[in-house]
Amino acid sequence: MADGDDNDAGDDAVRGDDIGAVIRPWHRTTAPTAPTSATGSAPASDRPVGHALVMPGIGYTVDRPLLYWAARALSWRGWQVDRLWLDLPATVDFPGTIARMNAMVDSWLGSLDDSAASGGGENGRRVPRMAVTKSLSTLTYPHLAESGMAAVLLTPVLNPPPCDPARSVIETPVRRGASASPMPLICAGDADPYFDAGRARMLTDRVAVCSGANHSIEVVGAYSASIRHLAGVTSAIVRYADDVAGCRVADGGGEGRVWWRPVRFVSGRRR
């Protein structure tokens, strides 16, 4: 899927080693539905609402639909978005790749502008940091939580994949850092063999299960249901990001306030 007028710029933001890991910036755009802060003031134009890192799965790059539209929507909402690209071998070493992604997260956090991170937020608050993860990259969640980051977990690995001899899963409970990271948002399908609703509830009360959806949050043979799920997941990410940033959705757009119909909540309330 082409990026249109928001093509990635440059490969030199943060680089990995010879395993082919690189973080590239997504261009900032003017948000057509600009969020306002909880106090009603618009964010300053010279600083982002937040910093977001979009991370891929195995074979599910950051240009695939769920991650492409997450980046697009967050950029439109005023977030500064960067995307992690991985060049993985045919046989993936799960523990080694998780460690590499954790190191890339640390490098990314260290690359952020300290003035924006510590003093540029409204009322002196740190500009929030958030990761949007998919499948393989959801396994970085314990590290993200310990780093104090908010996280979106799309199709989290809660049952071990057969291709991983290490049987990697997101362990529960997860230790949170001193800065107390927000509970994550989880979106997954009830036809996803790597999803476990009970384990998901141990991580967060923000859990949405898409009816009939597989590990790509698609319904095989049903394009209209798959597109509705895509729109719903994107809306959920926007609303979660607004909550993390302490913003509310301006009147007129509506996205972020509405959950999609083909979804079953497995815990908690509609927040």
Side-chain angles (χ1 to χ4, degrees), residues 107-239:
S107 295
W108 178 76
L109 289 172
S111 75
L112 299 179
D113 183 353
D114 287 337
S115 61
S118 60
E122 184 184 359
N123 298 323
R125 293 189 309 155
R126 188 181 74 172
V127 175
R129 294 96 175 273
M130 179 175 71
V132 180
T133 63
K134 171 71 174 77
S135 187
L136 173 69
S137 58
T138 66
L139 293 167
T140 65
Y141 176 61
H143 186 72
L144 299 173
E146 192 167 355
S147 299
M149 293 177 62
V152 176
L153 310 180
L154 302 177
T155 67
V157 180
L158 299 172
N159 287 321
C163 59
D164 175 24
R167 299 182 59 82
S168 304
V169 295
I170 302 174
E171 298 294 343
T172 54
V174 168
R175 184 176 67 178
R176 303 184 187 280
S179 56
S181 63
M183 287 193 299
L185 167 67
I186 290 178
C187 299
D190 61 10
D192 181 350
Y194 309 125
F195 179 66
D196 184 297
R199 293 180 63 87
R201 284 193 294 267
M202 297 175 67
L203 292 171
T204 182
D205 66 355
R206 294 176 180 238
V207 180
V209 181
C210 301
S211 178
N214 61 17
H215 193 59
S216 296
I217 311 190
E218 295 175 354
V219 180
V220 176
Y223 70 88
S224 58
S226 299
I227 292 171
R228 284 197 301 271
H229 284 321
L230 173 61
V233 168
T234 305
S235 294
I237 292 170
V238 167
R239 189 174 66 177

Side-chain angles (χ1 to χ4, degrees), residues 9-17 20-25 53 82-85 100 103-112:
D11 292 357
D12 56 353
V14 181
R15 284 191 176 275
D17 52 22
V22 59
I23 291 176
R24 298 171 179 164
L53 179 62
D82 297 303
R83 306 195 298 171
L84 172 65
W85 294 81
R100 181 65 244 166
M104 294 298 285
V105 168
D106 291 341
S107 295
W108 178 76
L109 289 172
S111 75
L112 299 179

Side-chain angles (χ1 to χ4, degrees), residues 36-44 47 116 119-127 245-247:
T36 58
S37 70
T39 60
S41 61
R47 68 171 183 264
E122 184 184 359
N123 298 323
R125 293 189 309 155
R126 188 181 74 172
V127 175
C247 297

Side-chain angles (χ1 to χ4, degrees), residues 77-100:
R77 301 293 293 158
W79 284 70
Q80 182 172 296
V81 178
D82 297 303
R83 306 195 298 171
L84 172 65
W85 294 81
L86 293 176
D87 184 10
L88 297 173
T91 301
V92 176
D93 170 16
F94 275 67
T97 305
I98 295 165
R100 181 65 244 166

Side-chain angles (χ1 to χ4, degrees), residues 54-56 60-62 64-71 132 134 154:
V54 179
M55 304 173 67
Y60 202 99
T61 72
V62 292
R64 294 288 296 273
L66 292 168
L67 298 179
Y68 171 88
W69 281 108
V132 180
K134 171 71 174 77
L154 302 177

